[in-house]
Amino acid sequence: NYVLLSRVNAMSVHITKRKVILFLLLIPVFMPISVDYFTTSLHLNRLLTYVVDAYLLCRLVFSRKALSIVTVISACMYAWILLATAISHGLMDNAILSLLRIMIVCLIFDLYRNDVYTLVRVLILHCEICVYVNLLSVLVAPNGLYSRSVSGYAVSQEWFLGVDNYFVQWLFPALVVAWAYIALTRSKTRGYVLTAAVVVTEFIHGSATGIVGIVLFSLLMIIPKVKLVFTPIRSVVISVIVWLLIVVFRADSIFAPLVSTLGKDMTFTGRLNIWDNALRVITANPILGYGVLTNDAMVGYLGSSSSGVWVGATHCHDQILQVAFQGGLVALALLLVIIALIIKKSLEYWPKKVAQIAVYAVSAYLIMCTTEVFTFPVMFLIFPLSYYVLSDQTVKE
């Protein structure tokens, strides 16, 4: 009995250390905007990024674990954008950091591929900290915890996760993690509470895009029998059609009731002109793209209109167009391949709950892509999470 107890205690210590290490490795991924902002002079986020990437690469080399197809494609995508940035004489530092931070997201999943259960448990802890602290900051300081001057947007009003338009980049992955936790652990309370906090935060102080994506994903996960109608292929096709109707074919009237309900105008808050400019410049350089550029350079490409130049046009206001702008059709094709791999794998396990999580996460992401750009690595989390949750051995049981 003593020997058995000693082994159990040793195993508990090992598991605890493993979770602590994993928690620390994920800090650069979940780093809130407020923490990054107030530690900019210390270069904390940058330093952590370098250290974590080096650690993960060493661990993978010593453990002789091969990189997943999702990691390889993601690396190629951001490396291509880095190449485009170098050729365009853009912001090389930003492009390198983007590549390194996406690699942290992917390499962590590669390293813990045989223990997705532990990974999801640590992920939900990070999500809970970010979501609950941010919700508290919104409730305590409705007018913002702090503010700063932002190029093109005057003075910002920010909370723990930054300005409210950025909330979704932490809240949506948290929602997906919450449901992955429910599916893998069969423990519902913790996942449901986190889901409720995400929904409440978006309705109190969130973007219209965030509300659409979070409500859509939540409804698809909750409504019984929805899986019979919204299958993997149908869900993605519908999402792509929505994007095409709005951005390319401008069938705005179809979505007029929804846009009006969300308090927006049919120009999608000035995005139509930016999309026109983005499509024009992407067509002019369709293969390589323009890389990561300064705000002034972006305004030069995207801000012109019949009424003058909008200095707020610092990005494409559409994730699909942003990827195509920075990395051309090559980068966009690589992103679509990642999505296709997730959908293909989900078909093998449909209609299991984990397959629904993966498909509906990707579908909601594509719809949100229509009006927002996702610049933080935490949003990319949904891709390796969906892929590896579907690869977990428990799914096959």
Side-chain angles (χ1 to χ4, degrees):
N1 290 338
Y2 175 76
V3 173
L4 179 60
L5 182 60
S6 298
R7 289 180 178 177
V8 171
N9 289 336
M11 185 179 296
S12 298
V13 172
H14 174 70
I15 291 174
T16 301
K17 287 181 178 178
R18 182 178 176 84
K19 289 180 180 178
V20 169
I21 291 173
L22 178 53
F23 182 88
L24 295 174
L25 293 175
L26 284 165
I27 289 177
V29 177
F30 284 91
M31 178 77 76
I33 292 177
S34 59
V35 176
D36 186 29
Y37 173 66
F38 288 111
T39 60
T40 298
S41 60
L42 302 175
H43 304 291
L44 179 61
N45 201 358
R46 181 191 303 269
L47 178 61
L48 287 174
T49 298
Y50 295 151
V51 171
V52 171
D53 264 307
Y55 175 85
L56 289 172
L57 287 172
C58 290
R59 282 284 304 275
L60 284 167
V61 170
F62 289 134
S63 63
R64 297 182 180 180
K65 288 187 177 180
L67 301 179
S68 71
I69 184 65
V70 170
T71 299
V72 172
I73 294 175
S74 301
C76 290
M77 179 176 125
Y78 279 86
W80 184 264
I81 292 175
L82 178 61
L83 173 64
T85 304
I87 293 175
S88 300
H89 303 289
L91 297 174
M92 286 294 292
D93 191 46
N94 288 20
I96 292 171
L97 283 174
S98 293
L99 171 61
L100 293 178
R101 286 166 183 162
I102 292 300
M103 284 300 94
I104 289 177
V105 175
C106 296
L107 293 177
I108 283 177
F109 278 90
D110 285 346
L111 186 60
Y112 288 85
R113 70 180 65 176
N114 297 324
D115 196 3
V116 177
Y117 174 81
T118 296
L119 180 53
V120 170
R121 289 180 68 88
V122 176
L123 284 171
I124 197 171
L125 179 58
H126 264 290
C127 292
E128 287 169 333
I129 293 172
C130 289
V131 172
Y132 296 152
V133 173
N134 187 68
L135 177 56
L136 180 62
S137 72
V138 168
L139 295 175
V140 171
N143 296 320
L145 282 176
Y146 64 99
S147 62
R148 53 176 162 159
S149 179
V150 181
S151 175
Y153 294 94
V155 178
S156 67
Q157 184 183 39
E158 306 193 26
W159 291 268
F160 185 64
L161 294 180
V163 295
D164 51 11
N165 279 352
Y166 287 160
F167 285 2
V168 68
Q169 298 194 57
W170 277 263
L171 298 184
F172 186 72
L175 187 63
V176 178
V177 168
W179 282 90
Y181 179 83
I182 292 171
L184 293 182
T185 67
R186 305 296 190 270
S187 178
K188 297 182 179 180
T189 303
R190 194 172 173 184
Y192 286 159
V193 171
L194 182 57
T195 297
V198 166
V199 174
V200 168
T201 302
E202 269 299 329
F203 275 96
I204 292 177
H205 248 307
S207 64
T209 301
I211 292 174
V212 169
I214 284 170
V215 170
L216 176 62
F217 179 83
S218 299
L219 290 177
L220 288 173
M221 294 305 305
I222 293 172
I223 297 176
K225 306 298 183 182
V226 71
K227 60 192 176 186
L228 300 178
V229 178
F230 294 99
T231 60
I233 300 299
R234 288 177 187 169
S235 298
V236 173
V237 168
I238 290 172
S239 300
V240 172
I241 289 175
V242 168
W243 185 86
L244 288 172
L245 286 174
I246 294 176
V247 178
V248 178
F249 299 112
R250 303 297 164 82
D252 321 45
S253 57
I254 298 175
F255 305 97
L258 176 60
V259 173
S260 177
T261 301
L262 294 172
K264 301 296 181 179
D265 58 74
M266 290 312 296
T267 65
F268 291 91
T269 320
R271 286 173 171 82
L272 298 184
N273 187 70
I274 292 177
W275 294 341
D276 285 337
N277 290 333
L279 289 169
R280 175 177 52 79
V281 296
I282 290 169
T283 303
N285 187 9
I287 305 301
L288 181 63
Y290 300 86
V292 181
L293 304 178
T294 64
N295 286 345
D296 289 342
M298 292 297 293
V299 170
Y301 280 113
L302 306 175
S304 61
S305 67
S306 57
S307 59
V309 176
W310 181 33
V311 295
T314 54
H315 54 72
C316 295
H317 285 276
D318 178 294
Q319 180 65 13
I320 301 299
L321 294 180
Q322 184 76 5
V323 172
F325 178 91
Q326 292 184 337
L329 297 182
V330 173
L332 179 58
L334 291 171
L335 176 62
L336 296 180
V337 169
I338 293 173
I339 292 173
L341 288 172
I342 294 171
I343 299 304
K344 179 177 181 296
K345 189 172 282 291
S346 69
L347 288 169
E348 301 174 21
Y349 303 108
W350 195 262
K352 289 181 180 292
K353 207 66 175 180
V354 288
Q356 293 179 57
I357 293 168
V359 169
Y360 298 151
V362 168
S363 299
Y365 175 89
L366 288 173
I367 288 177
M368 288 190 293
C369 279
T370 306
T371 55
E372 289 295 345
V373 167
F374 306 124
T375 57
F376 299 99
V378 63
M379 193 63 168
F380 199 83
L381 181 76
I382 66 170
F383 297 119
L385 174 64
S386 299
Y387 185 81
Y388 271 119
V389 163
L390 287 170
S391 302
D392 188 60
Q393 291 299 316
T394 58
V395 175
K396 301 176 182 179
E397 297 176 358

